[in-house]
């Protein structure tokens, strides 16, 4: 009798062990390292390897038109990534960064503004350059020919404010030629200067060449000789506070690629 009981107990023990082994294996699969690694990895574009993200890029007002085209091209190359731009004067963008505005990258119209944010950005890279022109009404009704003509007190001249990059460049070239201009207004960004001329509220204004080219139906551009002109540099950088640092870095790097440079130069920007 005791021998029979012993054999039954041994059989039960073997059966229990057989049932527990598969359960333990299942438990290891559910909590294993491979699954943890897969769940923590960021989704990326399978073609380019670029992390997918919704990016916010703060960009100088003079980039408004060309960056809309560039953003669309980038999204096409990187499905699943969305790029939203916020355009304003570079000084306004700098203030937003210092105030902690949620954004991933920054592109200004001068190196001075970017240099003032060294604690907030990654290492900047100049992606394009620009020059100034004199914007006048279509047909140049006041017959403006050069910078010196802007000193005519009968002429309504509008400039950007001196703290704005284009305003700083304007002051630089006028001071270098010892030309005194009394503007009827000082605007917060280059697009506001252009708008004043477009609407006939000003006879002339100093704007970037690329901005004048966006309004050829309403505005004529008077070239300024290189020797009297200023070169505007556009640095781009990631923001350290970005929640999408890898995706932001990928976009900033893309701005220097042949595809992006073709778009920028097609809009009249110069090579960096």
């Amino acid at each position: 009798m005791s021998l029979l009981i012993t054999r039954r107990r041994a059989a039960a023990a073997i059966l229990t062990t057989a049932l527990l082994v598969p359960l333990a294996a299942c438990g290891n699969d559910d909590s294993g390292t491979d699954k943890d690694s897969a769940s923590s990895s960021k989704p990326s574009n399978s073609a380019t390897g670029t992390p997918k993200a919704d990016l916010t890029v703060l960009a100088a007002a003079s980039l408004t038109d060309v960056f809309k085209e560039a953003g669309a091209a980038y999204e096409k190359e990187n499905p699943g990534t969305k790029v939203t731009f916020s355009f304003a004067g570079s000084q306004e963008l700098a203030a937003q960064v210092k105030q902690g505005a949620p954004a991933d990258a920054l592109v200004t119209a001068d190196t001075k503004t970017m240099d003032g944010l060294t604690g907030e950005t990654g290492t900047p890279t100049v992606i394009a350059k620009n020059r100034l022109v004199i914007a006048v009404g279509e047909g140049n009704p006041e017959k403006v020919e050069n910078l010196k003509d802007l000193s005519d007190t009968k002429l309504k001249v509008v400039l950007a404010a001196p703290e704005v990059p284009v305003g700083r460049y304007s002051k630089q070239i006028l001071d270098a030629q010892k030309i005194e201009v009394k503007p009827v207004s000082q605007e917060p960004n280059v697009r506001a200067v252009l708008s004043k001329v477009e609407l006939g509220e000003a006879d002339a204004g100093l704007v970037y060449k690329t901005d004048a080219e966006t309004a050829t139906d309403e505005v004529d551009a008077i070239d300024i000789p290189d020797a009297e002109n200023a070169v505007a540099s556009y640095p781009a950088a990631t923001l350290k506070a970005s929640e999408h640092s890898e995706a932001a870095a990928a976009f900033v790097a893309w701005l220097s690629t042949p595809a992006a440079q073709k778009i920028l130069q097609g809009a009249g920007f110069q090579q960096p």
Side-chain angles (χ1 to χ4, degrees):
M1 183 70 175
S2 60
L3 180 59
L4 180 59
I5 293 172
T6 299
R7 288 178 176 174
R8 287 178 176 175
R9 287 178 177 174
I14 292 171
L15 179 59
T16 301
T17 301
L19 291 171
L20 288 175
V21 169
L23 291 175
C26 290
N28 287 338
D29 285 345
D30 287 343
S31 59
T33 301
D34 289 345
K35 183 170 182 180
D36 286 346
S37 175
S39 64
S40 63
S41 62
K42 296 179 180 179
S44 62
N45 182 286
S46 58
T48 65
T50 302
K52 297 179 182 179
D54 288 346
L55 296 176
T56 298
V57 179
L58 307 179
S62 50
L63 294 166
T64 299
D65 294 275
V66 70
F67 261 20
K68 288 178 181 178
E69 181 181 353
Y74 188 76
E75 290 176 353
K76 185 176 181 179
E77 286 186 25
N78 298 275
T81 293
K82 179 175 176 57
V83 185
T84 300
F85 296 103
S86 177
F87 298 105
S90 296
Q91 80 291 348
E92 294 179 49
L93 300 177
Q96 291 176 30
V97 171
K98 291 178 180 178
Q99 291 166 7
D104 302 291
L106 170 70
V107 188
T108 61
D110 67 334
T111 56
K112 182 176 181 178
T113 300
M114 185 68 80
D115 290 345
L117 297 168
T118 51
E120 311 287 342
T121 72
T123 303
T125 300
V126 174
I127 62 160
K129 293 186 176 181
N130 213 340
R131 288 183 179 273
L132 274 65
V133 296
I134 304 170
V136 297
E138 185 182 15
N140 192 10
E142 300 300 325
K143 308 302 180 186
V144 175
E145 296 182 358
N146 49 48
L147 287 173
K148 189 175 181 180
D149 288 344
L150 300 182
S151 63
D152 186 345
T153 55
K154 295 180 182 178
L155 202 66
K156 291 186 292 183
V157 179
V158 62
L159 301 174
E163 63 269 19
V164 183
V166 69
R168 192 180 308 120
Y169 294 132
S170 298
K171 185 177 187 304
Q172 175 185 325
I173 65 177
L174 291 171
D175 288 351
Q177 300 301 314
K178 296 180 171 55
I179 298 171
E180 183 178 359
V181 175
K182 295 182 178 180
V184 293
S185 69
Q186 293 183 317
E187 302 300 321
N189 58 64
V190 68
R191 285 304 173 97
V193 175
L194 183 67
S195 178
K196 290 281 187 179
V197 179
E198 285 183 279
L199 296 173
E201 297 176 10
D203 299 317
L206 289 175
V207 302
Y208 296 120
K209 180 179 180 179
T210 54
D211 288 283
E213 290 182 0
T214 68
T216 53
D217 290 341
E218 297 85 13
V219 168
D220 287 350
I222 310 300
D223 289 331
I224 300 171
D226 287 349
E228 301 175 7
N229 214 326
V231 178
S233 295
Y234 290 73
T238 57
L239 292 176
K240 291 182 178 179
S242 169
E243 295 182 358
H244 313 287
S245 56
E246 291 183 38
F251 175 75
V252 169
W254 179 82
L255 291 173
S256 295
T257 65
Q261 288 296 306
K262 182 178 180 179
I263 294 171
L264 286 163
Q265 290 164 33
F269 288 86
Q270 299 174 4
Q271 290 183 342

